[in-house]
Amino acid sequence: MNWSKKEKDIARKAFKVAYDRECKVILENVRKMVFEVNDPTGLWRIQDYLTEKRNETDEMYDYRYSVLCFVFARLIREGRIQQKDLEGLAEEKLDEIRRISMFLEGS
Amino acid sequence: MNWSKKEKDIARKAFKVAYDRECKVILENVRKMVFEVNDPTGLWRIQDYLTEKRNETDEMYDYRYSVLCFVFARLIREGRIQQKDLEGLAEEKLDEIRRISMFLEGS
């Protein structure tokens, strides 16, 4: 599946907006956590949380065109982006994304 | 080398004070960092920092009596505890700690 220059721009923007939003939420949570903890156990709980979130986001935000339809389907399914964020992609890609998204809904 | 109940209490207290102090400094640094960063790169820099500090402290704060003289020698060498924090340990242990500490100084 080929991605035109215009499609790549749309994809990259949607991807970046979702990723930045996700990281912002994590940062907000850490900002709260650092003032709630007062002992070493709490400190390392922050490290656990950040490591878990880093692994999750690294896995979820995989910007390779070969898997991008799957990535977007998952982001839609999990409410991280909306179908309208992908407007401008070729119909075959939108179909593919919807198809995978429906499959994920059932799984 | 045997550790009496009284020596274990002294050792545990010195160890805990140093560990808690170290973790407090790390927490203070993270509290500053979370308000200095605003993007994903900065967020993951906090995770890098915490992971590095966790590995360092896990390695440094090893509370096994078989290695405790070495641990205390290193903590003294790095200014994390003082010799007076260990007052009450048997002279042979204090000698051993001083000996290792001097060796570390030269290394």
Side-chain angles (χ1 to χ4, degrees):
Chain A
M1 212 180 258
N2 283 323
W3 294 72
S4 69
K5 165 82 172 65
K6 182 190 145 214
E7 285 181 310
K8 286 182 179 178
D9 289 346
I10 292 166
R12 198 169 290 279
K13 187 178 165 197
F15 186 93
K16 188 178 179 335
V17 166
Y19 183 67
D20 286 353
R21 193 191 299 133
E22 183 112 18
C23 288
K24 202 172 167 187
V25 170
I26 298 167
L27 182 59
E28 286 305 320
N29 288 339
V30 174
R31 282 179 177 165
K32 284 179 211 147
M33 289 170 91
V34 292
F35 289 98
E36 285 166 2
V37 309
N38 264 312
D39 62 357
T41 309
L43 175 65
W44 304 133
R45 213 161 37 226
I46 299 172
Q47 196 264 345
D48 285 337
Y49 172 76
L50 273 171
T51 302
E52 186 188 328
K53 290 297 164 189
R54 189 171 195 168
N55 291 339
E56 269 178 28
T57 53
D58 279 356
E59 194 249 328
M60 185 158 356
Y61 290 87
D62 183 354
Y63 197 86
R64 287 177 295 159
Y65 293 110
S66 57
V67 294
L68 208 47
C69 284
F70 185 85
V71 169
F72 282 140
R74 191 172 165 194
L75 291 176
I76 287 171
R77 178 54 39 216
E78 300 190 4
R80 287 166 160 88
I81 61 170
Q82 296 186 309
Q83 297 215 10
K84 67 178 176 56
D85 297 323
L86 302 175
E87 268 171 22
L89 296 188
E91 205 49 49
E92 55 162 4
K93 294 191 185 68
L94 294 173
D95 279 347
E96 174 87 347
I97 291 166
R98 273 192 288 269
R99 198 180 56 75
I100 303 171
S101 182
M102 282 167 64
F103 170 77
L104 289 175
E105 189 180 10
S107 66
Chain B
M1 212 179 258
N2 283 323
W3 294 72
S4 69
K5 164 81 173 67
K6 182 190 145 213
E7 285 181 310
K8 285 182 179 178
D9 288 347
I10 292 166
R12 197 170 289 279
K13 188 180 164 194
F15 186 94
K16 189 180 177 335
V17 166
Y19 183 68
D20 286 354
R21 192 191 299 132
E22 182 112 19
C23 288
K24 203 173 165 184
V25 171
I26 298 168
L27 182 58
E28 286 306 320
N29 288 339
V30 174
R31 282 179 177 165
K32 284 180 210 146
M33 289 170 91
V34 292
F35 289 99
E36 284 165 4
V37 309
N38 264 311
D39 61 358
T41 309
L43 175 65
W44 304 132
R45 214 160 36 227
I46 298 172
Q47 196 265 346
D48 286 337
Y49 172 76
L50 273 171
T51 302
E52 186 188 328
K53 289 297 165 189
R54 189 171 195 167
N55 291 339
E56 269 178 30
T57 53
D58 279 356
E59 194 248 329
M60 182 155 359
Y61 290 87
D62 183 354
Y63 197 86
R64 287 176 296 160
Y65 292 110
S66 57
V67 294
L68 208 47
C69 284
F70 185 86
V71 170
F72 282 139
R74 190 172 165 192
L75 292 176
I76 287 172
R77 179 52 40 216
E78 300 191 3
R80 287 166 160 89
I81 61 170
Q82 297 185 306
Q83 296 213 12
K84 67 177 176 55
D85 296 323
L86 302 175
E87 268 172 20
L89 296 188
E91 206 49 48
E92 54 162 5
K93 294 191 185 69
L94 294 173
D95 279 348
E96 173 86 348
I97 292 166
R98 273 191 288 268
R99 200 181 53 75
I100 304 171
S101 183
M102 282 167 65
F103 170 79
L104 290 175
E105 189 180 9
S107 66

